[in-house]
Amino acid sequence: MSEGQRETCDLLIEAGFVVPVEPHGVVLEDHAVAVRDGAIVAVLPRAEARARFDAAETVSRPDGALVPGFVNSHAHNPMTLLRGVADDLPLKVWLQQHIWPIEGAVIGPDFVADGVTLAIAEMLRGGTTCVNENYFFPDVQAAVYKRHGFRARVGLPVIDFPTAWAKNDDEYFDKAGEVHDQWRDDPLVATAFAPHAPYTVNDANFERVRMLSDQLDVPVHLHLHETAQEVQQSQDKHGQRPIARLDRLGLFNDRLIAVHMTQLTDAEVHLCVERGVSVVHCPESNLKLASGFCPACALERAGVNLAIGTDGCASNNDLDMVGETRTAAILAKAVAEDAAAFDAFTALRAATLGGAKAIGFDHLVGSIEPGKQADLACFDLSALETQPLHHVVSQLVYAAGRHQVSDVWIAGRHKLRERELPGMDVDAIVANARQWRARIAAISL
Ligand SMILES: [Zn+2]
């Protein structure tokens, strides 16, 4: 090919290994990813890439493994400021005597903006490029994600009691409509309905959520079957398990992002398949709060789309999708009593493409394919902890740590460069977090 025929691109990323996730089970050696206008235009051998493209910038990572950016499919990122504030307590005491009173004292636009900013920095340093967010003040969250060029689906909260965000049902729905309208055409930030949980949302509000989510064509992000107690409470109050109740209300469908799902009968697993419900597995939150075990392997083998989330930092206590993916993989084996269950490729797929699909972003992200946005994470596998490199995906899932993420791009923009965060003032973020520590410590419980 002569010089005159060379194509231009903005960015060429050369990596020792590329794990595209789609097709499944593939590791490409010495490949490159060409990016133009934020999107992937080609995935090809490095030598071919050099011959074909004139790149404005070339980034070479010969010891790197390039993967799709992780999609954290369930988080409450303002709660990053509550990391470690009350641990090792029973769920009810933890929520009612600690988390809710503290939130009552601090919640507002500043708390939300500062928590999300801290979370963005942490997520980028761990290879996460997209989040499914669920908290109050979604208007503030959306603006902060946009400012930092971070991809997000922001939940529009619905809950039966007044909060700092809205004082009654109509206000929750009015505000949801306003935030949705403001972000409906944004390339980076979108919305979902986020009714809190079956035990905090009545039938009438669920019906409004169903009608509006159909009308606006947005997903519904919901905590569901998190604990045995939740299921029992629903039986007592409604005469139905929460899934049956949601199915009666028309919400158990392919828009539903069902988070936790630790209590499932075989029939409920099959109903997930039939209705196209996506399940978000949050293993570390479930373990720490002793909520139960999501049957990830049974769901995956039945054909349910599975995603992975960290949950909020008050119950995890980090936003580490690398660690969460490992926990998901090994816990799935233990629960299935089968060491062959939920292999490394399957775990990585759930943490990337599974999440993208769950939140309706799979046309945009989740795999390294031409036409998708260049949301990418690169791991440096040269460290002794990931040597010798017998199997790249095994090292990524079972041995690597998030500190080995060297680079991250979102829509082709370099958001983490050799562990540095261009465009973010890390010292200021840490100083601000310390200031919140003092404010929270001063709250009398
Ligand atoms: Zn949650």
Side-chain angles (χ1 to χ4, degrees):
M1 193 181 273
S2 74
E3 285 291 310
Q5 290 171 300
R6 282 162 68 87
E7 290 176 44
T8 58
C9 70
D10 302 322
L11 171 67
L12 197 62
I13 307 166
E14 301 177 347
F17 306 94
V18 175
V19 186
V21 171
E22 186 61 49
H24 187 71
V26 168
V27 178
L28 305 166
E29 277 189 47
D30 284 327
H31 267 58
V33 174
V35 179
R36 192 188 299 130
D37 297 328
I40 296 165
V41 289
V43 182
L44 69 180
R46 184 177 50 188
E48 276 179 40
R50 286 183 178 180
R52 179 171 151 190
F53 289 103
D54 258 331
E57 184 193 7
T58 298
V59 174
S60 190
R61 299 286 183 260
D63 290 315
L66 199 64
V67 300
F70 289 94
V71 177
N72 187 346
S73 297
H74 179 64
H76 311 278
N77 277 337
M79 296 178 87
T80 306
L81 293 172
L82 303 182
R83 190 198 319 267
V85 83
D87 289 324
D88 309 321
L89 294 165
L91 180 61
K92 212 173 163 187
V93 176
W94 174 75
L95 259 183
Q96 295 180 355
Q97 294 177 28
H98 295 267
I99 297 301
W100 287 346
I102 293 170
E103 283 184 323
V106 296
I107 204 168
D110 291 351
F111 176 80
V112 170
D114 290 349
V116 169
T117 304
L118 176 61
I120 289 171
E122 181 180 348
M123 290 190 292
L124 287 172
R125 296 216 302 181
T128 297
T129 54
C130 179
V131 68
N132 189 34
E133 175 65 85
N134 186 324
Y135 205 70
F136 303 102
F137 296 91
D139 54 340
V140 175
Q141 297 163 36
V144 175
Y145 284 118
K146 181 71 178 177
R147 190 182 323 135
H148 290 287
F150 198 95
R151 196 177 303 282
R153 197 176 275 281
V154 170
L156 307 167
V158 174
I159 197 160
D160 284 352
F161 46 83
T163 60
W165 169 243
K167 58 185 179 303
N168 57 41
D169 294 346
D170 286 342
E171 195 176 358
Y172 280 106
F173 284 98
D174 289 348
K175 284 188 153 181
E178 282 166 27
V179 177
H180 175 78
D181 282 349
Q182 197 187 340
W183 294 94
R184 68 191 319 159
D185 298 319
D186 194 88
L188 212 55
V189 176
T191 59
F193 271 97
H196 173 257
Y199 53 92
T200 49
V201 179
N202 63 43
D203 281 9
N205 279 340
F206 269 132
E207 277 167 355
R208 281 174 90 169
V209 166
R210 193 208 57 197
M211 193 185 69
L212 287 166
S213 66
D214 285 350
Q215 249 172 37
L216 304 175
D217 192 20
V218 296
V220 177
H221 179 179
L222 173 73
H223 297 101
L224 187 59
H225 284 216
E226 182 172 3
T227 62
Q229 192 196 10
E230 170 198 331
V231 175
Q232 188 56 51
Q233 232 182 339
S234 175
Q235 294 267 38
D236 297 345
K237 189 171 172 193
H238 303 281
Q240 282 183 306
R241 289 163 69 86
I243 285 177
R245 178 174 162 233
L246 286 166
D247 199 36
R248 167 170 60 77
L249 296 169
L251 274 157
F252 207 69
N253 59 33
D254 60 2
R255 289 189 197 289
L256 187 64
I257 309 165
V259 181
H260 296 309
M261 301 286 261
T262 72
Q263 314 289 322
L264 293 176
T265 63
D266 288 348
E268 286 166 341
V269 170
H270 289 293
L271 197 63
C272 289
V273 183
E274 217 171 280
R275 300 281 198 268
V277 170
S278 285
V279 171
V280 182
H281 182 23
C282 302
E284 293 185 6
S285 171
N286 296 156
L287 287 165
K288 186 161 177 275
L289 297 176
S291 302
F293 307 105
C294 171
C297 178
L299 286 162
E300 190 260 326
R301 284 182 175 163
V304 177
N305 179 54
L306 206 68
I308 295 174
T310 58
D311 210 347
C313 267
S315 64
N316 185 312
N317 295 359
D318 59 37
L319 303 172
D320 178 3
M321 280 293 288
V322 181
E324 200 76 31
T325 303
R326 176 182 308 132
T327 305
I330 58 182
L331 183 64
K333 294 170 194 297
V335 170
E337 297 182 11
D338 178 0
F342 216 71
D343 63 33
F345 274 113
T346 302
L348 182 64
R349 188 181 185 86
T352 53
L353 191 55
K357 195 173 172 201
I359 70 172
F361 278 178
D362 52 321
H363 60 297
L364 291 173
V365 296
S367 55
I368 305 180
E369 294 179 272
K372 285 203 177 178
Q373 294 287 290
D375 287 20
L376 306 162
C378 187
F379 284 76
D380 180 359
L381 296 179
S382 67
L384 66 90
E385 289 85 353
T386 39
Q387 290 293 321
L389 202 49
H390 293 299
H391 189 304
V392 171
V393 173
S394 169
Q395 303 297 51
L396 288 171
V397 173
Y398 298 123
R402 62 173 163 172
H403 60 279
Q404 286 175 266
V405 176
S406 61
D407 298 83
V408 168
W409 293 263
I410 299 177
R413 288 177 190 258
H414 216 156
K415 308 302 292 182
L416 182 77
R417 186 190 290 269
E418 293 179 287
R419 298 295 297 152
E420 298 293 322
L421 288 164
M424 296 195 90
D425 184 342
V426 174
D427 291 342
I429 291 170
V430 172
N432 201 25
R434 288 196 173 127
Q435 175 263 125
W436 277 105
R437 192 207 71 83
R439 280 172 70 173
I440 290 164
I443 299 165
S444 50
L445 294 174

